[in-house]
């Protein structure tokens, strides 16, 4: 701030001169009576004072060094294919938690674990002598080659191992080799396979198993662009009624665009949850998880390999966090 000295015949004259020169807002800092009777006032120029203050503000201030733990969180999220938005939201959650250093990753895991909803376990009622049980029907839908049949076989094997009576219906009756593939997988767990081409046949096939606790339905892979086939599939499945769960199977190796297209198209089949497959084939599964979070889809199962006897996991919040931060189920 610059200080000017203005001399006048007396105080009034000195103040008038100061105002004329530096405006009405001139700041009078002091006054002094001179030996000859004149008065000198010291004033500060308010416009310059303001400019000086602004200049001081515009001088780059030293940026505080970013917390080391936040760098680690950002690095691992980027490695797993996370978007800018996901990184920013997670770092925000870490900052709000107050966690620092190595604890930042724990705080990130906590935030990410709850970012995707988990589907409840399928409602499979236990059979009891003399009690009529409504079987739980689970249909697997999705684009071609994503792992629908393999996932069905994995779940069937698990259910049979835990003593459940399981029936399998194939609605993939046209693709050469599809039924044979399913029969081969089913025979390993001594389970019957019935065929169904439409909704009425599906109803009959479900009823044909006697009293199973669970019926798993394999469907043909459909292109997300084939809206006629998707509508027909949705209609056929709707014939099953209330006890139906429809799992949309998506492979973690797909692009965000492909996942988004599948989500939109397969809405015609009214999925109740998602199954993510081929998690073993990528270390960047964040896109599919982010799509699930954005769509508020619920995750039912996660698959990370081809082995029917293994590689099927019930989705859990800790798996979601592992996938975001490590790129795999730990
Ligand atoms: N690496 C890996 N491969 C998988 C996984 N799940 C399925 N596969 C493989 O993916 C290929 C296709 O699997 P299917 O189960 O036939 O896929 P689908 O969706 O039934 O295919 P369509 O009926 O032709 O639409 C097979 O080679 C499976 O072994 C998985 O989690 N990881
Ligand atoms: Mg199949």
């Amino acid at each position: 701030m610059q200080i000017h000295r203005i001399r006048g015949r007396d105080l009034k004259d000195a103040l008038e001169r100061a105002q004329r020169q530096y405006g009405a807002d001139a700041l009078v800092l002091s006054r002094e009576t001179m030996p000859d009777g004149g008065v000198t006032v010291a004033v500060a120029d308010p416009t310059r004072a303001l400019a000086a203050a602004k200049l001081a503000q515009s001088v780059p201030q030293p940026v505080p060094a970013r917390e080391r733990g936040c760098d680690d969180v950002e690095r691992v999220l980027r490695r797993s294919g996370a978007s800018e938005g996901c990184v920013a939201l997670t770092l925000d959650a870490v900052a709000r938690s107050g966690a620092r250093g190595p604890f930042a990753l724990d705080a990130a895991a906590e935030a990410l674990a709850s970012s995707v909803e988990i589907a409840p376990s399928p409602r499979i009622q236990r059979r009891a002598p003399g009690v009529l049980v409504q079987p739980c029907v689970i249909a697997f839908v999705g684009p071609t080659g994503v792992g629908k049949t393999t996932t069905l076989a994995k779940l069937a094997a698990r259910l049979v191992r835990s003593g459940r009576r399981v029936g399998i219906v194939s609605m993939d009756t046209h693709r050469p080799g599809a039924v044979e593939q399913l029969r081969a997988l089913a025979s390993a767990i001594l389970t019957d396979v019935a065929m169904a081409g439409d909704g009425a046949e599906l109803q009959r096939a479900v009823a044909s198993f006697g009293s199973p606790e669970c019926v798993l339905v394999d469907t043909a892979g459909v292109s997300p662009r084939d809206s006629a086939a998707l509508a027909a599939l949705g209609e056929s499945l709707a014939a099953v009624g209330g006890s139906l769960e429809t799992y949309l199977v998506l492979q973690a190796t797909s692009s965000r665009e492909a996942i988004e297209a599948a989500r939109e198209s397969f809405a015609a089949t009214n999925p109740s949850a998602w199954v993510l497959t081929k998690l073993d084939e990528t270390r960047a599964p964040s896109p599919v998880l982010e799509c699930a979070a954005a769509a508020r889809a619920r995750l039912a199962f996660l698959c990370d390999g081809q082995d029917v006897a293994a590689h099927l996991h019930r989705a859990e919040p800790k798996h979601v966090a592992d996938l975001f931060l490590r790129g795999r189920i730990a």
Side-chain angles (χ1 to χ4, degrees), residues 149 172 175 181 218:
T149 307
D172 190 2
R175 186 172 64 79
Q181 179 196 11
D218 191 25

Side-chain angles (χ1 to χ4, degrees), residues 16 32 50 76 123 167 200 264 295:
E16 278 171 1
E32 189 183 353
L50 200 65
V76 296
R123 292 181 300 275
E264 217 171 284

Side-chain angles (χ1 to χ4, degrees), residues 72-283:
D72 291 343
V73 170
E74 177 163 359
R75 183 174 44 78
V76 296
L77 277 177
R78 293 211 183 281
R79 198 178 51 195
S80 84
S83 66
E84 292 293 333
C86 175
V87 172
L89 279 174
T90 310
L91 289 178
D92 190 45
V94 171
R96 275 185 283 112
S97 75
R100 301 175 75 79
F103 300 107
L105 276 171
D106 294 336
E110 202 178 321
L112 291 163
S114 58
S115 65
V116 185
E117 281 182 53
I118 303 296
S121 295
R123 292 181 300 275
I124 303 174
Q125 292 175 293
R126 278 239 175 244
R127 225 161 33 110
V131 180
L132 199 64
V133 164
Q134 172 87 337
C136 167
V137 183
I138 302 174
F140 294 79
V141 302
T144 55
V146 291
K148 298 177 292 298
T149 307
T150 309
T151 306
L152 178 152
K154 288 174 180 173
L155 183 57
R158 176 177 291 193
L159 290 170
V160 167
R161 274 203 306 272
S162 64
R164 300 307 188 105
R165 266 180 64 98
V166 177
I168 294 176
V169 180
S170 173
M171 294 192 77
D172 190 2
T173 52
H174 294 301
R175 186 172 64 79
V179 175
E180 289 71 19
Q181 179 196 11
L182 193 54
R183 282 217 166 101
L185 291 167
S187 72
I189 51 171
L190 307 171
T191 299
D192 297 337
V193 179
M195 303 293 145
D198 58 22
E201 287 181 15
L202 178 58
Q203 268 182 313
R204 279 198 291 278
V206 169
S208 73
F209 289 112
S211 52
E213 293 159 324
C214 183
V215 176
L216 304 179
V217 181
D218 191 25
T219 68
V222 183
S223 157
R225 292 171 163 218
D226 191 346
S227 42
L230 286 162
L233 178 59
E235 255 175 57
S236 296
L237 295 177
V240 173
S243 59
L244 177 74
E245 296 271 356
T246 301
Y247 289 165
L248 174 58
V249 183
L250 296 167
Q251 53 187 12
T253 47
S254 298
S255 65
R256 279 177 209 271
E257 292 72 24
I259 295 158
E260 221 4 72
R263 181 199 64 75
E264 217 171 284
S265 313
F266 280 88
T269 62
N270 203 18
S272 48
W274 288 13
V275 172
L276 305 185
T277 60
K278 309 197 184 182
L279 288 161
D280 55 309
E281 291 189 11
T282 178
R283 280 291 170 265

